[in-house]
Amino acid sequence: MPWLLRVARNILRDNFRQAARRESLEAELRTWMEEAVTDVGEHATERVAVLRALAGLSEADKEILTLTTWHGLSTTEAAEVLGCTKAVFFVRLHRARRRLQSAIEATGTTTSRKPVTVPGRKLR
C-alpha cells in the first residue's frame, strides 16, 4: 500500500508540473502572437536567424533541443528517448542551448524573447 500511494503521489506531482509547463508555454505563445501582430518583419528576421543557427548545430544538439521544445517531451521522456539519465540530459540540454545562443549571436541578430518562468524554476 505505501508503494502504491508513493506512485500515485509521483504521478499527481508530474501531472501538476506538466500542467504548469503547458500553461507557461501557452502564455508565452499568446505573447508571441500579440507581438507578431505588431511587427511581423522583426520576428521574421529573428526566426530566420534562429533557424540558421539551429541548422549549424550538430545533429545531437538539434535532437536534444527539438525533443523538448518542438515535440514537447518532458525531460524524463526525452532522457529515455536518448537512453541516458535525467542528469546527463540536463547537461546536454544546457550545452546545446549555450551553443545555440552562441550561434544566434554569431549571426548578429538578438532575440527579444523573455525567459518563461514556472514556479520554482526558469525556462528559456
Side-chain angles (χ1 to χ4, degrees):
M1 185 68 156
W3 174 83
L4 183 60
L5 291 174
R6 187 172 39 238
V7 169
R9 184 189 67 191
N10 289 341
I11 289 172
L12 288 172
R13 184 191 64 220
D14 289 344
N15 286 340
F16 176 78
R17 287 179 181 167
Q18 287 177 350
R21 278 187 296 239
R22 194 175 314 112
E23 290 171 8
S24 176
L25 179 60
E26 289 171 359
E28 184 174 7
L29 289 175
R30 278 193 298 275
T31 302
W32 288 358
M33 292 301 291
E34 292 167 5
E35 289 176 5
V37 171
T38 58
D39 188 2
V40 176
E42 178 184 326
H43 296 292
T45 305
E46 242 178 51
R47 179 182 164 94
V48 168
V50 170
L51 290 175
R52 282 185 182 156
L54 189 61
L57 295 178
S58 69
E59 290 299 318
D61 284 348
K62 286 182 212 176
E63 182 178 24
I64 287 170
L65 292 168
T66 57
L67 282 174
T68 55
T69 55
W70 183 262
H71 298 293
L73 296 180
S74 69
T75 52
T76 304
E77 295 167 334
E80 188 176 323
V81 168
L82 294 177
C84 63
T85 65
K86 260 174 65 169
V88 170
F89 179 77
F90 275 121
V91 170
R92 290 179 183 175
L93 180 61
H94 173 72
R95 290 177 180 165
R97 285 177 176 165
R98 213 173 47 206
R99 285 189 281 267
L100 177 63
Q101 186 63 40
S102 296
I104 290 171
E105 290 169 359
T107 65
T109 305
T110 58
T111 58
S112 63
R113 304 281 187 256
K114 296 177 184 139
V116 178
T117 57
V118 174
R121 66 182 216 164
K122 183 168 120 178
L123 298 176
R124 295 195 108 202

